Amino acid sequence: MAAHAGNVATPVLPVARAARRTGLARRFVGSFFLFTAGVHLGMVAADAQVYRHFADAALVPLVRDAWAEVFMASPSAWGLVVMAGELTLGLLLLAGGTWARVGWVGVIAFHVALMLFGWGFWIWSVPVLVFLVVAARRDWPALGS
C-alpha cells in the first residue's frame, strides 16, 4: 500500500515490514546464541572432554596447539567462558539499541574466528556470515547512535 503525493508514490507498509524483519533477524540470532550457550553448559556438565578434538583440523598450527595446551588444560572452565560469551552476545542482541550493535559485531567476529578451526567450519560460517552481515546492515539504522 502506498500513500500518494501528487504523482509520486511513497511506500508506507514496506518500511514497517522491513523494520519488523530486521528486528526479527536480531531476535532470532540473539535467541540462537542463548540456545548455543545452553548447549555449551550441557556439554560442560555432561563431559567437557567432548571439546578435545574441536581444533584438530585447525588451519593454523598455533590454534591447534593453543587449544590443546590452554583450552584443554581446563576444558570445563573454558567451556563456561565460551558459554558466557555466547550468552552475552545473545543478550546484547535481544537488548536492542546501542547494545545490539555490539552484539552484531560480536556474533560476526565469533563466526570469523570459528573459521580458524578448519575448512569444515567454513561450510557453516560462510553462509551464516552472509546472513549476519546483511541482517546487521539492515538493522543498524534502527539501533540508534
Side-chain angles (χ1 to χ4, degrees):
M1 185 64 88
H4 294 284
N7 291 335
V8 179
T10 306
V12 176
L13 291 179
V15 173
R17 284 188 194 128
R20 280 195 307 271
R21 274 195 304 266
T22 57
L24 179 63
R26 181 172 11 96
R27 287 190 303 275
F28 172 78
V29 174
S31 298
F32 181 75
F33 267 73
L34 294 183
F35 171 77
T36 57
V39 169
H40 281 283
L41 179 60
M43 290 166 55
V44 167
D47 181 12
Q49 291 301 313
V50 73
Y51 290 109
R52 177 155 308 283
H53 299 290
F54 188 80
D56 286 356
L59 301 176
V60 181
L62 176 65
V63 172
R64 188 174 42 253
D65 295 343
W67 189 266
E69 296 170 18
V70 177
F71 191 98
M72 289 311 297
S74 185
S76 293
W78 286 109
L80 291 175
V81 169
V82 172
M83 181 219 55
E86 289 183 332
L87 180 67
T88 301
L89 291 173
L91 291 173
L92 288 170
L93 286 170
L94 294 173
T98 305
W99 291 113
R101 287 184 172 192
V102 176
W104 279 124
V105 171
V107 297
I108 290 168
F110 179 90
H111 281 84
V112 169
L114 195 58
M115 294 169 71
L116 292 171
F117 288 90
W119 295 111
F121 290 98
W122 286 56
I123 295 168
W124 162 263
S125 294
V126 170
V128 169
L129 281 166
V130 169
F131 169 79
L132 291 174
V133 169
V134 169
R137 283 181 50 112
R138 287 183 179 164
D139 194 34
W140 204 265
L143 298 175
S145 53

